[in-house]
Amino acid sequence: MADIAILETRERVLAGILLTGAAYLLFSTQDASIKLLVTGMTVWQIMFFRSIAILSACAAIGGRQLFADTVHSPIVRPMLVRSAFTLAAWLCYYNAARSLQLAELTTVYYAAPIIVTVLSVVMLGEKVPILRWLAVLIGFAGVFVACDPTHLGLSVPVLLVLAAAFLWGIAIVLLRRTALSERSMIQLLLNNFYFLVFSAGPALLWWQTPDWTQLLLLASVGALGGFAQYLLFEGMKRTPASILAPLEYTSLLWAFALGFAIWGDVPRREVFLGAALIISAGLLIVGTEHFRKRL
């Protein structure tokens, strides 16, 4: 029985890793769509459209019962706090997207996994093995080598991204708490309901009528963002936040690929070295968890 329990735990953790990795792929694609949109409309309006799209999908899937269950959920207030931190991170991150390349934006942002690992110890009491700390540091070193963010300086966009990293780190740790106590669909509905409430006023105040191309991009942002959030919630239910933190570095690889495909950004030699370090960090965290559970 003990062996079966260990096997189930290991499979649960690995499933959480795969779900979270897929979520970050979708988030990266969403980021590219939003970077295309922010040149023509405010972040508030993008958030407003995305929230409507996700809430419409929740209504179609869960119906009235989902909304009834959500009203009586014990996480209504905790999700309000988490959504506020996520909103603040969003505003900082995507306003900086107007001035930075996608690769630069992603690079500076990757202080977040280290913040998540530290906060998971302070706020959640998780025990972080030395190899997991090593994986986080290797991943960040890979990001640093790939993009060399030192040439960016402490400009306003860079400070905005650093603020986003800190706020997102807090939001992820709070997400770990709520993920363990409620269904993912209810978390998804609450998160985007709060986003809709927060963004409605500013979106209508600075309204810009989108054209057909922008409407298609807004629809893709809603679909990608909603599915990515759901996968992230499911991954968080299965795996401690400090294990998942280094996986966020995989978004950098997608950022470079999307940057090349959309804007023609050609990666430098350092990018490949950085990518190798990032992949090594991911393999280290997965391999460490695999063998730790076996033992």
Side-chain angles (χ1 to χ4, degrees), residues 238-275:
R238 293 165 170 78
T239 309
S242 55
I243 292 179
L244 297 178
L247 293 179
E248 200 164 356
Y249 290 124
T250 59
S251 297
L252 179 64
L253 305 180
W254 305 122
F256 282 122
L258 291 166
F260 176 74
I262 299 172
W263 293 280
D265 297 335
V266 179
R268 295 170 287 107
R269 179 180 59 186
E270 290 82 0
V271 171
F272 296 101
L273 176 58

Side-chain angles (χ1 to χ4, degrees), residues 130-149:
I130 188 65
L131 284 179
R132 205 179 299 164
W133 282 111
L134 180 61
V136 171
L137 294 175
I138 290 174
F140 187 73
V143 172
F144 189 89
V145 169
C147 286
D148 186 18

Side-chain angles (χ1 to χ4, degrees), residues 51-64 66-67 184-190 192:
S51 300
I52 290 176
I54 295 174
L55 289 173
S56 299
C58 288
I61 296 170
R64 292 183 179 180
L66 175 62
F67 285 83
S184 295
M185 285 299 294
I186 289 180
Q187 294 182 68
L188 189 63
L189 193 154
L190 277 173
N192 288 281

Side-chain angles (χ1 to χ4, degrees), residues 237 266 281 285:
K237 281 184 177 182
V266 179
I285 201 68

